Amino acid sequence: MTEKELLEWLGKEDSSAYGECHGEQLDALIAKGWAEVGPTPSGRSRMYARVWLTEAGLAALETNAG
């Protein structure tokens, strides 16, 4: 999955599980300030943490649309 595809995929839901989308593309979106990872749920692994697009990520998604 490319960075653009991940951006589009994350934009389809309010949040996604870290385990569904972790990797270098997510790291790149986080470095750009376009995505962030929430806290690890109590008693669970980081793979269950929620990932969502930031306001900047939503703006980038709109810019790349079409």
Side-chain angles (χ1 to χ4, degrees), residues 5-48:
E5 290 169 336
L6 181 57
L7 181 68
E8 292 169 351
W9 185 76
L10 287 171
K12 292 180 182 179
E13 302 288 333
D14 289 338
S15 68
S16 298
Y18 180 78
E20 296 177 326
C21 57
H22 69 285
E24 61 185 69
Q25 288 81 13
L26 178 59
D27 293 344
L29 294 181
I30 291 169
K32 290 178 180 180
W34 292 358
E36 62 184 32
V37 180
T40 301
S42 179
R44 297 272 181 120
S45 76
R46 180 171 171 85
M47 293 299 175
Y48 289 92

